[in-house]
Amino acid sequence: MKILARENRVLWVNSIGNRRPTVCARDAKRILKKLSGAMQGLQERHPNIWVMTPLAIPFYGSELVRAANGALLRVQVQSAMQQLGFQDVISWSFLPSSAPLSGTLGESLVVYHCVDEFSAFSDAPGEAIRELERRLMVKSDVVICSSEKLRADKVRVNPNAHLVQHGVDLEHFAKSFDPETTSPTS
């Protein structure tokens, strides 16, 4: 995103998640963090990279809730796009949960960047996530896959699926070899 931000404004929309929260301290902490982020509004975290944390209903098993989330997300993202004066929008999504929103913002291009098989996660509602991903792939102009296994699966839904394996920011990670770099202690 830093590379794209050199000549473009980027709106990073934090994940709304893929599963329903449970009654536990970890999920309560995550909910509070999401609410805090949403209350902060748009934040410029890096030159030309704006971050927003949207509010959503964390229950993907219901078609009604998915539709409500689509409408809720659309209003929040459109408001942020208007604040930032966006034009000629490209949406680039990494999560199936963006399906209700992707392709509804007047985008000139919709990209789904598939980095994992989210429906296989043990704490995700597999069938609902699979259906969201299918809808996202149908709406996408291009699907980028991080492994050949993912590409072979996704190309069945979207023939414009391509393999682009993960890369690294060598300059950033090379700093760990610099004797002046301090490491966090555990």
Side-chain angles (χ1 to χ4, degrees), residues 19-88:
R19 66 175 181 83
R20 182 179 0 181
T22 59
V23 181
C24 69
R26 181 178 75 117
D27 283 356
K29 188 176 177 180
R30 290 179 74 192
I31 289 169
L32 289 173
K33 184 177 178 184
K34 291 242 183 228
L35 288 172
S36 172
M39 298 303 291
Q40 291 175 20
L42 276 176
Q43 301 284 312
E44 188 173 21
R45 299 286 170 86
H46 186 80
N48 277 338
I49 299 179
W50 296 83
V51 177
M52 69 170 287
T53 301
L55 294 176
I57 305 164
F59 182 71
Y60 304 101
S62 161
E63 185 64 37
L64 182 62
V65 171
R66 288 194 295 260
N69 273 341
L72 185 60
L73 288 170
R74 191 178 306 82
V75 166
Q76 294 172 83
V77 171
Q78 284 177 327
S79 174
M81 289 169 46
Q82 188 174 24
Q83 279 182 264
L84 297 171
F86 274 23
Q87 296 176 2
D88 197 22

Side-chain angles (χ1 to χ4, degrees), residues 10-186:
V10 174
L11 173 61
W12 180 274
V13 180
N14 279 331
S15 169
I16 61 169
N18 286 321
R19 66 175 181 83
R20 182 179 0 181
T22 59
V23 181
C24 69
R26 181 178 75 117
D27 283 356
K29 188 176 177 180
R30 290 179 74 192
I31 289 169
L32 289 173
K33 184 177 178 184
K34 291 242 183 228
L35 288 172
S36 172
M39 298 303 291
Q40 291 175 20
L42 276 176
Q43 301 284 312
E44 188 173 21
R45 299 286 170 86
H46 186 80
N48 277 338
I49 299 179
W50 296 83
V51 177
M52 69 170 287
T53 301
L55 294 176
I57 305 164
F59 182 71
Y60 304 101
S62 161
E63 185 64 37
L64 182 62
V65 171
R66 288 194 295 260
N69 273 341
L72 185 60
L73 288 170
R74 191 178 306 82
V75 166
Q76 294 172 83
V77 171
Q78 284 177 327
S79 174
M81 289 169 46
Q82 188 174 24
Q83 279 182 264
L84 297 171
F86 274 23
Q87 296 176 2
D88 197 22
V89 173
I90 295 172
S91 70
W92 191 312
S93 177
F94 295 89
L95 294 174
S97 55
S98 70
L101 179 65
S102 295
T104 68
L105 302 168
E107 302 100 313
S108 60
L109 183 71
V110 177
V111 178
Y112 172 40
H113 196 143
C114 180
V115 296
D116 217 330
E117 190 60 66
F118 295 104
S119 63
F121 287 15
S122 62
D123 61 351
E127 195 54 43
I129 297 299
R130 229 180 326 280
E131 176 58 19
L132 284 169
E133 183 179 58
R134 186 195 67 73
R135 290 179 188 181
L136 178 57
M137 287 189 291
V138 167
K139 292 178 178 183
S140 295
D141 297 298
V142 65
V143 176
I144 298 171
C145 301
S146 62
S147 75
E148 179 53 36
K149 183 178 178 185
L150 288 171
R151 192 209 60 79
D153 181 56
K154 307 315 175 196
V155 76
R156 290 184 273 179
V157 176
N158 186 318
N160 200 16
H162 303 276
L163 173 64
V164 178
Q165 294 177 322
H166 291 301
V168 298
D169 182 342
L170 289 175
E171 183 180 323
H172 171 76
F173 287 102
K175 293 175 187 174
S176 67
F177 294 109
D178 184 341
E180 299 294 314
T181 301
T182 58
S183 298
T185 57
S186 34

